[in-house]
Coordinates of all heavy atoms in Angstrom, one line a residue:
S18 N -7.8 20.1 11.9 CA -8.1 19.0 11.0 C -7.0 18.6 10.2 O -6.0 19.3 10.0 CB -9.3 19.4 10.1 OG -9.0 20.5 9.3
I23 N -2.8 15.4 -2.4 CA -2.6 14.5 -3.6 C -1.7 15.3 -4.6 O -2.0 16.3 -5.0 CB -4.0 14.3 -4.3 CG1 -5.0 13.8 -3.3 CG2 -3.9 13.3 -5.4 CD1 -4.7 12.5 -2.6
D37 N -10.3 17.2 0.4 CA -11.6 17.7 0.7 C -12.1 18.5 -0.6 O -13.3 18.5 -0.8 CB -11.7 18.6 1.9 CG -10.8 19.9 1.7 OD1 -9.8 19.8 0.9 OD2 -11.1 20.9 2.3
F113 N -11.8 11.2 -19.9 CA -10.8 10.5 -19.1 C -10.9 10.8 -17.6 O -10.8 9.9 -16.8 CB -9.4 10.8 -19.7 CG -8.3 10.3 -18.8 CD1 -7.9 9.0 -19.0 CD2 -7.6 11.1 -17.9 CE1 -6.8 8.5 -18.3 CE2 -6.6 10.6 -17.1 CZ -6.2 9.3 -17.3
G119 N -22.1 18.0 -18.6 CA -23.1 19.0 -18.1 C -22.4 20.1 -17.2 O -23.1 21.1 -17.0
R150 N -14.0 10.9 -56.1 CA -12.7 10.4 -56.7 C -12.7 8.9 -56.9 O -12.2 8.5 -58.0 CB -11.6 10.8 -55.6 CG -11.3 12.2 -55.5 CD -10.1 12.5 -54.6 NE -9.8 13.9 -54.5 CZ -8.8 14.3 -53.7 NH1 -8.0 13.5 -53.0 NH2 -8.5 15.6 -53.7
E216 N -38.5 38.0 -84.2 CA -37.1 37.8 -83.9 C -36.3 37.4 -85.1 O -36.8 36.8 -86.1 CB -36.9 36.7 -82.8 CG -37.5 37.1 -81.5 CD -37.1 36.1 -80.4 OE1 -36.3 35.1 -80.7 OE2 -37.6 36.2 -79.3
N217 N -35.0 37.8 -85.1 CA -34.1 37.5 -86.2 C -33.9 36.0 -86.3 O -33.7 35.3 -85.3 CB -32.8 38.2 -86.0 CG -31.9 38.2 -87.2 OD1 -31.5 37.1 -87.6 ND2 -31.6 39.3 -87.7
S242 N -29.6 11.1 -61.6 CA -29.9 11.5 -60.2 C -30.2 10.3 -59.3 O -31.0 9.4 -59.7 CB -31.0 12.5 -60.2 OG -31.4 12.8 -58.8
G274 N -50.9 25.7 -85.7 CA -51.3 26.5 -86.9 C -51.5 28.0 -86.5 O -51.5 28.4 -85.3
I298 N -31.1 33.0 -66.3 CA -29.9 33.7 -65.7 C -29.6 33.2 -64.3 O -28.5 33.3 -63.9 CB -30.2 35.3 -65.7 CG1 -28.9 36.1 -65.5 CG2 -31.2 35.6 -64.6 CD1 -27.9 36.0 -66.6
T310 N -23.5 31.4 -52.1 CA -23.3 31.9 -50.8 C -24.2 33.1 -50.5 O -24.8 33.2 -49.4 CB -21.8 32.4 -50.6 OG1 -20.9 31.3 -50.9 CG2 -21.5 32.9 -49.2
T312 N -27.2 33.5 -51.8 CA -28.5 32.9 -51.5 C -28.6 32.3 -50.1 O -29.6 32.6 -49.4 CB -28.8 31.8 -52.6 OG1 -28.7 32.3 -53.9 CG2 -30.2 31.2 -52.4
S354 N -55.5 60.1 -53.1 CA -56.0 59.1 -52.1 C -54.8 58.6 -51.4 O -53.6 58.7 -51.8 CB -56.7 58.0 -52.8 OG -55.9 57.2 -53.6
I396 N -33.7 51.6 -43.6 CA -33.0 50.8 -44.5 C -31.6 50.4 -44.0 O -31.2 49.3 -44.1 CB -32.9 51.4 -45.9 CG1 -34.3 51.6 -46.5 CG2 -32.0 50.6 -46.8 CD1 -34.3 52.3 -47.9
I403 N -27.2 41.8 -42.2 CA -27.3 41.0 -43.4 C -25.9 40.8 -44.0 O -25.5 39.8 -44.4 CB -28.2 41.6 -44.4 CG1 -29.7 41.6 -43.9 CG2 -28.2 40.9 -45.8 CD1 -30.7 42.3 -44.7
L409 N -19.8 36.0 -42.7 CA -19.6 34.8 -41.9 C -19.8 33.6 -42.7 O -19.1 32.6 -42.6 CB -20.5 34.9 -40.7 CG -20.2 36.0 -39.6 CD1 -21.3 36.0 -38.5 CD2 -18.8 35.7 -39.0
A421 N -11.7 20.4 -45.4 CA -12.0 19.1 -46.1 C -10.8 18.6 -46.9 O -10.4 17.4 -46.9 CB -13.3 19.2 -46.9
E426 N -5.8 15.2 -47.4 CA -4.4 15.1 -47.5 C -3.8 14.3 -46.3 O -2.9 13.5 -46.4 CB -3.7 16.5 -47.5 CG -4.1 17.3 -48.8 CD -3.6 18.7 -48.8 OE1 -3.0 19.1 -47.7 OE2 -3.7 19.4 -49.8
L427 N -4.4 14.6 -45.1 CA -4.0 13.9 -43.9 C -4.3 12.4 -44.0 O -3.5 11.6 -43.6 CB -4.7 14.5 -42.6 CG -4.2 15.9 -42.2 CD1 -5.1 16.3 -41.0 CD2 -2.8 15.8 -41.8
Q436 N 1.2 2.1 -44.3 CA 1.9 1.2 -45.2 C 3.4 1.1 -44.9 O 3.9 0.0 -44.9 CB 1.6 1.5 -46.7 CG 0.2 1.5 -47.1 CD 0.0 2.0 -48.5 OE1 0.9 2.4 -49.2 NE2 -1.3 1.9 -49.0
D455 N -8.0 25.3 -36.9 CA -7.1 26.2 -36.1 C -7.9 27.0 -35.2 O -8.5 28.0 -35.5 CB -6.3 27.1 -37.1 CG -5.3 28.0 -36.3 OD1 -5.1 27.7 -35.1 OD2 -4.8 29.0 -36.9
R471 N 10.1 3.5 -22.0 CA 10.0 2.1 -21.6 C 8.5 1.8 -21.2 O 7.9 2.6 -20.4 CB 11.0 1.8 -20.5 CG 10.9 0.4 -20.1 CD 12.0 0.1 -19.0 NE 12.0 1.1 -17.9 CZ 11.2 0.9 -16.9 NH1 10.4 -0.2 -16.8 NH2 11.2 1.8 -15.9

Side-chain angles (χ1 to χ4, degrees):
S18 60
I23 309 297
D37 65 332
F113 173 81
R150 289 183 178 181
E216 292 188 7
N217 192 295
S242 172
I298 196 65
T310 303
T312 303
S354 65
I396 294 175
I403 294 175
L409 291 175
E426 296 173 357
L427 288 176
Q436 294 176 359
D455 181 14
R471 180 176 54 86

